[in-house]
Structure formats: structure tokens, C-alpha cells
């Protein structure tokens, strides 16, 4: 009897071993019900809105979500990825600190067999499930065209313009610059002052950049700011320099404060991404992959050109998809 029980026990253990060996690392981790979103910085409202969208669709698919803040640092981002993998994340959504830091995270995840969806900021190389992006080129061209129309209406096309950009190491930043320049060129606005690039991503930083631009360039007629709260800082700088009514400010993305400034005419308009929709889309593609489907390699999300004239008609869409609030 004892020998028979021992043989049965050995058979059971052997069966378990076969099942265990048959599961890849990726399959084992996919049994987890935890997803991770790695974000560049929760100090920026845009990324908070993305995180809300990721969480909404993760929960809808039965997953818990942990959001990890990289504080705009590639080293912190890599540690976040290592922590996520060590804790058995089933999948990762990442918005990289910049395109050059993404490959190291993708390499780690690939070795662990964990799927990754990239949201908004691209990568220079590496394997991933899907890339959810806004059409930054078209979005910047759209707000550039609106700003150019405002310049023409005032007879200011002979003046110069300046760009306060997000880092140009980011592919989305490069596309925003390209799209806006194309709009200016098409409108015959050819004088561009030296570009400034954000480092701290604060309104105070953009205020100082704008002060320098305004002081050095008396013929400056337009400043394009490739972010939302930073555009508010530029509008403050224009007011402090007593150049209101002489210099236009155009923006990208959106906050409630920026939307109000557009309605008030303080800012000419903004190319608004839809961060909640982007995050929700990224989570859906990731959970679809975990469920066994093959998502598209790239998913583009529309950028809205919002001006004083269009703000009211787009109010519900802005409230949900831009500000992550139900209408």
C-alpha cells in the first residue's frame, strides 16, 4: 500500500513538473492580474490623464493597475521596469521619458516574456505589441494654421515667431516642431527666433524662456508652446512685458485653465491630444494581447484644434478625453 501511494505521489509530482516546464515565463506572468503603467512624470497633468485612461480599461478587463513615476529620469524608468517585472506584472504600458531610453525597458520586458504597449512617446528601436500615438505632425500643423490665420488677420506675417519645445530627443517633439514650422512656411511667416527646450516642464521655466525671447526680439509676434501649463507661463510673461495685444500665444495639449484662457482670448488656441482616450486605448490593446489576440502595431488618436470659436462645440469631448472627466 505504501509503495502504491508513493508511486501515485511521484506520478502527481511528475505531472505538475511537466505542466510547470510547459509554461513559458511569459505565460506564467500572463496569469497575473496586475498591469503596470510607467509614466514620465505625474507632475504633468497630461500623464495623469493618460494614467486614468489606462486604469479605466485595465479594470474593465479585470486587471489591477499600478502606476510608477519615472520623474523624467531614464535611470528611474529602468528601475521601475525592473520592479514591475520582479513583481510579476502581466503586461506594461509605458510612456518613455524620451525615445532613446525606451529600448532598455523593451529589452528587459522581451527577455521576461512580458508584453509592452507604448503610449505617446515612441522608441528608437525594440520590440513591442503596439504603439498608441497622436498625430503630432497633423496636430501641430492644425494649431499652426490657426495661429497663422490670426497673424494674417492682424497683418503680422512680417514678424517673427518662437517655439518653446518639449525635448527634441522625443519623436513627438520633433513632429510638433515640424508641423508648426510647415504651417508658418505655408503662411509666409519665415522668421524664427532660436528655439528653447523644456527641462523642468514648469510654467516658471517657460515664463523665463518667454522673457528672454521677448527681450531679444522686439519684432516677435507669436510664441508656440508645445505643452499646456507651460503656455500659461508664457501668457504671463507676455503680460508682464506689457506686450498683450502684440504677441500671440499658441499651445499644445490642454488643462481647464488653458481652455479658459482660450475662451478668454488670452491664448489663440491649442492642439489638444486626448490623453484619457490614449491611455484607455493602450490598456485595451494590452489586455487584448493577453487574451490571445493580435492588436495593430500602431494606433493613431486624433488631435483636436481648439480655438475660441470651437471650444463650446467640442466641450463634451474635451471634458472626457482631454481632462479625464465624464461629461
Amino acid at each position: 500500500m505504501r509503495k502504491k501511494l508513493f508511486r501515485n505521489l511521484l506520478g502527481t509530482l511528475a505531472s505538475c513538473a511537466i505542466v510547470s516546464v510547459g509554461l513559458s515565463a511569459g505565460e506564467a506572468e500572463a496569469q497575473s492580474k496586475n498591469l503596470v503603467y510607467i509614466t514620465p512624470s505625474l507632475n504633468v497633468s497630461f500623464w495623469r490623464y493618460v494614467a486614468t485612461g489606462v486604469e479605466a480599461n485595465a479594470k474593465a478587463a479585470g486587471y489591477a493597475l499600478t502606476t510608477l513615476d519615472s520623474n523624467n529620469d531614464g535611470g528611474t524608468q529602468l528601475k521601475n521596469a525592473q520592479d514591475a517585472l520582479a513583481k510579476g506584472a502581466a503586461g506594461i504600458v509605458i510612456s518613455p521619458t524620451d525615445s532613446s531610453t525606451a529600448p532598455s525597458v523593451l529589452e528587459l520586458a522581451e527577455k521576461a516574456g512580458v508584453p509592452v504597449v507604448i503610449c505617446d512617446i515612441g522608441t528608437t528601436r525594440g520590440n513591442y505589441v503596439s504603439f498608441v500615438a497622436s498625430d503630432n505632425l497633423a496636430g501641430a500643423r492644425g494649431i499652426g494654421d490657426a495661429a497663422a490665420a490670426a497673424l494674417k488677420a492682424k497683418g503680422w506675417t512680417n514678424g517673427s515667431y518662437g517655439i518653446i519645445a518639449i525635448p527634441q530627443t522625443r519623436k513627438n517633439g520633433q513632429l510638433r516642431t515640424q508641423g508648426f514650422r510647415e504651417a508658418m512656411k505655408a503662411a509666409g511667416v519665415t522668421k524664427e527666433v532660436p528655439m528653447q527646450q523644456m527641462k523642468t516642464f514648469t510654467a516658471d521655466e517657460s515664463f523665463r524662456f518667454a522673457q528672454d525671447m521677448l527681450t531679444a526680439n522686439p519684432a516677435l509676434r507669436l510664441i508656440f508652446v508645445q505643452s499646456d501649463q507651460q503656455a500659461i507661463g508664457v501668457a504671463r510673461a507676455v503680460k508682464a512685458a506689457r506686450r498683450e495685444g502684440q504677441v500671440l500665444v499658441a499651445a499644445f495639449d490642454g488643462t481647464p485653465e488653458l481652455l479658459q484662457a482660450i475662451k478668454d482670448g488670452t491664448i489663440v488656441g491649442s492642439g489638444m491630444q486626448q490623453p484619457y482616450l490614449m491611455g484607455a486605448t493602450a490598456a485595451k490593446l494590452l489586455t487584448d494581447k493577453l487574451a490571445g489576440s493580435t492588436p495593430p502595431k500602431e494606433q493613431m488618436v486624433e488631435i483636436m484644434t481648439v480655438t475660441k470659436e470651437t471650444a463650446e462645440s467640442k466641450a463634451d469631448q474635451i471634458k472626457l478625453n482631454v481632462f479625464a472627466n465624464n461629461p
Side-chain angles (χ1 to χ4, degrees), residues 75-90:
T76 303
Q77 175 180 268
L78 186 60
K79 185 179 184 304
N80 284 338
Q82 291 169 335
D83 289 346
L85 295 171
K87 292 177 181 178

Side-chain angles (χ1 to χ4, degrees), residues 37-52 66-72:
Y37 173 49
I38 302 176
T39 178
S41 174
L42 290 175
N43 287 328
V44 177
S45 57
F46 179 88
W47 300 121
R48 294 196 298 272
Y49 300 153
V50 171
T52 302
T66 300
T67 297
L68 301 177
D69 190 342
S70 297
N71 294 307
N72 290 314

Side-chain angles (χ1 to χ4, degrees), residues 281-325:
T281 301
K284 179 67 164 58
L285 294 172
L286 182 58
T287 56
D288 284 352
K289 173 65 175 178
L290 291 168
S293 69
T294 303
K297 194 68 175 178
E298 186 170 297
Q299 185 76 52
M300 299 296 285
V301 177
E302 177 196 6
I303 292 178
M304 299 180 289
T305 300
V306 179
T307 62
K308 186 175 183 178
E309 291 72 28
T310 63
E312 289 303 327
S313 64
K314 297 180 178 181
D316 285 351
Q317 188 177 0
I318 292 169
K319 189 173 183 182
L320 175 60
N321 291 335
V322 180
F323 301 153
N325 291 320

Side-chain angles (χ1 to χ4, degrees), residues 147-148 151-152 155-163 180 184-185 188-195 210 212-224 243 246-250:
L151 288 175
K152 285 182 177 180
W156 292 351
T157 54
N158 287 331
S160 59
Y161 72 95
I163 297 176
F180 197 82
M184 293 297 103
K185 183 178 180 181
V189 183
T190 59
K191 301 171 187 175
E192 181 182 348
V193 306
M195 178 192 292
D212 292 343
M213 283 185 176
L214 291 163
T215 300
N217 302 281
L220 188 68
R221 289 296 192 180
L222 169 66
I223 301 175
F224 172 48
R243 300 274 291 275
Q246 301 174 35
V247 179
L248 302 178
V249 178

Side-chain angles (χ1 to χ4, degrees), residues 29 73 115 155 208 226 258 267 317:
E29 287 170 350
D73 179 74
R208 292 191 298 271
Q226 293 181 357
L258 177 66
I267 291 176
Q317 188 177 0

